[in-house]
Amino acid sequence: MKRIAKFSLITFLVLIGLTFVSAVLTMSFASMLPADVTITTLGDGVSVSEIPSLGVLAWVFALLAVWFAYFVALCAVGFAMFVTAGILVFTAFIMLSPFILIGLIVWFIMRRKPAAPAPPAPAIDTPPAGAGA
């Protein structure tokens, strides 16, 4: 179980890094977007192409917002894929359960030890035919 947890943690950290890199690239090329693309928060709007000129703090906040949006989208897609895979595995198990049951029955029959052979019948001492009593 420790190996699975370590793999999951490394995968999670790699995905966080990839979403951060993609957010940085998105914000780096934000000045190339058309001027009519705006981000509106609480009624205040700002053009995406103006963000680099607003200062470092605005760029960092916008970067974090984009990163958070990418990360939430990645988590949503990952969760949907995980649930779908679980449903497919469950369905496959239900569909294949008769074959699994038959296989288990055959395995248990083949695995049984054969019955011990019956002991030989004891020899009965009978007197010879001509001997009188």
Side-chain angles (χ1 to χ4, degrees):
M1 187 66 180
K2 186 177 179 182
R3 183 186 268 171
I4 292 172
K6 188 176 182 181
F7 177 75
S8 298
L9 179 64
I10 290 171
T11 303
F12 186 70
L13 292 175
V14 165
L15 290 177
I16 287 175
L18 287 175
T19 56
F20 187 75
V21 167
S22 62
V24 168
L25 289 174
T26 301
M27 290 307 299
S28 298
F29 294 109
S31 61
M32 296 180 187
L33 291 174
D36 59 344
V37 178
T38 60
I39 297 174
T40 305
T41 305
L42 301 173
D44 295 331
V46 64
S47 174
V48 175
S49 59
E50 295 175 4
I51 290 177
S53 65
L54 293 176
V56 175
L57 192 59
W59 192 84
V60 169
F61 283 137
L63 172 69
L64 290 176
V66 170
W67 171 78
F68 184 73
Y70 284 174
F71 184 71
V72 168
L74 179 71
C75 288
V77 170
F79 179 74
M81 289 174 56
F82 180 74
V83 169
T84 303
I87 291 171
L88 287 174
V89 166
F90 179 74
T91 304
F93 178 76
I94 295 298
M95 297 296 286
L96 295 174
S97 62
F99 300 111
I100 294 170
L101 182 64
I102 291 170
L104 285 173
I105 291 171
V106 168
W107 184 67
F108 280 124
I109 289 173
M110 298 300 287
R111 191 174 151 232
R112 282 188 11 193
K113 294 179 182 174
I124 301 175
D125 291 334
T126 56

